[in-house]
């Protein structure tokens, strides 16, 4: 017996968590099917955290140091600070003198760096996790079973660009998210 939800799909009656897990295990290869993509996800989050906090510390130190150094100068900024250089200088001073601005900008920069560096692992994780969702497609075009096999296949078929498909929207999304996250935390 099926129930038709508002979006037009069919959901088996009694499709709670336990029955859904049971159906996934039966149709997609046992208990291992529940953990597809976990190794790539582990690499992703370890790498993401390492890059994020390293970049956050560097960006934060730079912004605070720039403001502190510029604030101790007793002379007017040199002529090099006119035009676009002057705008950048003034902006860096304003950011560096506000702890919330430093945290926001450093967090946003850290999120951009971490997302860009680890995006290939995100693509891998998503591909492995979605492998069993469409059985007929999975049988015809199943990605390799290992991360190295997947990496080799992706590079041979799409080149380096294939690892970064969809990276731009992810970066645009992470800027306000990580900026606000760090600004609220600090």
């Amino acid at each position: 017996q099926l129930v038709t939800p508002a979006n037009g799909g069919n959901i088996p009656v009694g499709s709670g968590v336990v029955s859904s897990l049971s159906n996934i295990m039966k149709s997609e290869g046992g208990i291992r099917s529940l953990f597809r993509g976990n190794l790539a996800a582990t690499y992703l989050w370890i790498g993401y955290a390492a890059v994020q906090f390293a970049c956050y510390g560097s960006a934060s130190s730079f912004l605070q140091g720039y403001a502190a150094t510029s604030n101790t100068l007793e002379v007017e900024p040199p002529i090099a600070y006119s035009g676009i250089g002057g705008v950048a200088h003034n902006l860096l001073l304003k950011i560096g003198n506000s702890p919330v601005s430093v945290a926001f900008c450093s967090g946003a920069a850290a999120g951009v760096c971490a997302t860009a560096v680890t995006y290939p692992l995100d693509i891998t994780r998503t591909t492995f996790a979605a492998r069993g969702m469409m059985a007929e497609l999975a049988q015809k075009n199943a990605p390799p079973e290992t991360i190295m096999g997947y990496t080799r296949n992706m590079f041979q078929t799409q080149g380096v660009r294939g690892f970064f498909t969809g990276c731009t929207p992810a970066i645009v999304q992470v800027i306000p998210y990580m900026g606000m996250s760090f600004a609220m935390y600090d």
Side-chain angles (χ1 to χ4, degrees):
Q1 183 178 13
L2 297 175
V3 174
T4 304
N7 67 3
N10 291 324
I11 300 173
V13 172
S15 62
V17 173
V18 174
S19 63
S20 294
L21 292 175
S22 177
N23 286 338
I24 290 170
M25 287 191 296
K26 286 176 189 171
S27 64
E28 297 182 19
I31 198 156
R32 286 187 67 198
S33 63
L34 299 176
F35 299 97
R36 266 193 211 109
N38 275 6
L39 185 60
T42 301
Y43 293 153
L44 166 69
W45 292 113
I46 290 171
Y48 191 95
V51 171
Q52 178 185 26
F53 288 110
C55 288
Y56 179 80
S58 296
S60 182
S61 294
F62 169 77
L63 290 170
Q64 291 169 339
Y66 187 90
T69 302
S70 295
N71 288 338
T72 60
L73 295 175
E74 295 193 19
V75 294
E76 289 296 313
I79 194 76
Y81 289 130
S82 64
I84 191 99
V87 171
H89 171 74
N90 290 334
L91 183 61
L92 286 172
L93 278 178
K94 287 183 183 193
I95 292 170
N97 286 323
S98 166
V100 173
S101 296
V102 168
F104 181 88
C105 292
S106 299
V112 167
C113 292
T115 299
V117 168
T118 61
Y119 200 76
L121 290 169
D122 196 19
I123 291 282
T124 304
R125 175 192 61 83
T126 303
T127 301
F128 275 81
R131 171 179 279 163
M133 293 180 73
M134 292 188 258
E136 62 278 352
L137 179 63
Q139 289 173 356
K140 293 178 191 173
N141 259 348
E145 293 288 325
T146 64
I147 292 175
M148 284 306 295
Y150 175 78
T151 302
R152 222 178 347 267
N153 184 35
M154 175 71 85
F155 185 74
Q156 289 170 350
T157 59
Q158 297 181 33
V160 174
R161 293 182 83 175
F163 292 106
F164 295 94
T165 302
C167 189
T168 302
I171 285 176
V172 169
Q173 171 206 347
V174 83
I175 291 171
Y177 169 70
M178 292 311 299
M180 286 188 284
S181 178
F182 277 95
M184 288 182 196
Y185 179 75
D186 275 358

